[in-house]
Amino acid sequence: MPVSRSLPAPGQGLPERADRLIPGLATAAVALAAAFLVHRLVPVLPAMTLAVVLGVLAANLPGAGVWTAGRARPGLDFAGKHLMRGGIILLGLKVSIMDVLGLGWLALVLIAGVVAASFGGTYLISRLFRLPPVTSLLVATGFSICGASAIGAMAAIRRIRHVDTVLPVALVTLCGTLAIGVLPLFVHPLQLSPAAFGAWTGASVHDVGQVVATAQTAGTAALGVAVVVKLTRVLLLAPVAAIAGAHQRFAVRDRAGAGEGAAADAEAGDAEAKLPPVVPLFVLGFIAMVGLRSTGWLTAGWLEAGAALQDILLGAALFGLGSAVRIRTLLLTGGRALLAALASWLLIALLGLAAALLITA
């Protein structure tokens, strides 16, 4: 896999690599501290969403944009790629198999159905709006499973360029933030119980932090249901990743086998050596953390420490991704993408509402 120009080449010594990474990582750390501070003062604003917003601001403000596109870029790209994977691994510590099974088989089938229908529907909508296949795949993954974390996982599995994740992350952040303000407005018109609203939020809102911010408006009962339903969607990241990894391997083999003769044999040998794993190591790490959490061995203190570290890693990664967003370019090229995202958001909201009413009936 070719090395990005903004990342240190493998042959560089550790001091030189650190010199290139430190400015961007330090910038992400300062921004992340600001995001946590604002979240502490205004809890309804998720820290992860704030991290993306601060990244976008840093990329588009005079002076700051020069810094994030220049000397800070290697560290910010490192955060967007590698720290994202670390955050995904630790995300598994939030998922307990016992909590998921406690929902009952009907709920599990409905949630899996919502994820499958959301994924397929969002991909189809994106293609109808003439978005590229790669963008459509990432948007469908992020909207149907767990926001930017799922986008980062899918990009790593399918070996999608870092720059191609920027627009999907921006869209999933925008629509997830929209849900925080819009969904609570429908509690009374639809006469939703706290449990039903929590299930709706967990089944349809993208990021875990956005789910918490939305569900807590209806009280602790809604929040408890929302978190379990959402984490059940997060758990589905593992099988989706395995399917995507297997598909990628078959695609590489098919391309290698398209030629003839000795050249085809040589290409097939090279392709075999470069085949991506069916399930990448960081996804296996995620599964391992789910298993560890489900044993009940970890104390509350360890779980809190893991959650804090996960927030730091994902927050830094999201700031790095946000700092690559250029508003002018987004406005020129992202009009169709925004319409596709809003249509997908409406589809998932309706699917999630139908599932929530069945789950809590």
Side-chain angles (χ1 to χ4, degrees):
M1 180 176 171
V3 177
S4 172
R5 292 184 180 181
S6 59
L7 288 174
Q12 292 178 328
L14 288 178
E16 186 177 352
R17 297 183 68 178
D19 286 343
R20 295 197 66 198
L21 296 178
I22 285 174
L25 293 177
T27 302
V30 172
L32 191 57
F36 284 136
L37 177 60
V38 174
H39 171 65
R40 187 176 182 84
L41 296 174
V42 188
V44 72
L45 297 177
M48 300 301 102
T49 299
L50 290 168
V52 178
V53 171
L54 289 175
V56 174
L57 290 175
N60 293 276
L61 292 176
V66 175
W67 172 256
T68 58
R71 190 167 178 203
R73 193 71 253 156
L76 294 174
D77 283 345
F78 179 89
K81 180 179 180 180
H82 297 287
L83 298 189
M84 172 68 78
R85 295 182 186 184
I88 292 170
I89 291 172
L90 292 176
L91 183 60
L93 288 176
K94 292 186 174 180
V95 184
S96 169
I97 297 296
M98 296 302 103
D99 291 340
V100 171
L101 294 179
L103 290 172
W105 289 108
L106 174 61
L108 295 179
V109 170
L110 288 171
I111 294 168
V114 167
V115 169
S118 299
F119 187 98
T122 299
Y123 186 86
L124 178 60
I125 289 171
S126 299
R127 296 297 288 141
L128 289 175
F129 277 87
R130 292 179 290 133
L131 300 187
V134 165
T135 302
S136 301
L137 174 64
L138 294 180
V139 170
T141 305
F143 274 53
S144 62
I145 302 177
C146 54
S149 301
I151 290 172
M154 182 61 75
I157 293 164
R158 298 304 297 265
R159 297 183 175 178
I160 295 170
R161 296 181 307 162
H162 177 75
V163 67
D164 292 329
T165 66
V166 171
L167 179 59
V169 168
L171 293 174
V172 79
T173 301
L174 173 64
C175 290
T177 304
L178 183 65
I180 298 173
V182 173
L183 262 60
L185 299 178
F186 289 91
V187 172
H188 294 298
L190 296 177
Q191 298 183 342
L192 298 176
S193 66
F197 179 69
W200 182 27
T201 302
S204 57
V205 180
H206 312 317
D207 180 76
V208 175
Q210 294 163 345
V211 167
V212 172
T214 306
Q216 67 185 5
T217 60
T220 55
L223 180 59
V225 174
V227 169
V228 176
V229 171
K230 174 59 189 175
L231 293 179
T232 303
R233 287 170 62 198
V234 171
L235 187 61
L236 293 174
L237 176 63
V240 169
I243 293 170
H247 182 272
Q248 180 74 348
R249 287 175 68 90
F250 287 130
V252 171
R253 282 176 173 164
D254 287 344
R255 287 195 298 268
E260 295 180 0
D265 292 339
E267 185 177 353
D270 291 341
E272 188 71 26
K274 297 177 181 177
L275 282 176
V278 174
V279 183
L281 286 177
F282 71 92
V283 177
L284 292 176
F286 167 82
I287 296 171
M289 292 300 103
V290 172
L292 183 58
R293 167 63 189 268
S294 301
T295 63
W297 294 343
L298 296 178
T299 64
W302 280 107
L303 292 175
E304 289 174 6
L309 181 57
Q310 181 232 323
D311 286 344
I312 291 171
L313 294 176
L314 284 183
L318 291 174
F319 177 81
L321 292 174
S323 68
V325 177
R326 297 295 181 268
I327 296 296
R328 181 177 299 178
T329 304
L330 192 61
L331 291 176
L332 291 175
T333 62
R336 290 196 312 273
L338 179 59
L339 292 175
L342 291 174
S344 300
W345 179 76
L346 179 60
L347 170 67
I348 294 172
L350 293 174
L351 289 172
L353 178 59
L357 293 176
L358 291 173
I359 290 171
T360 59

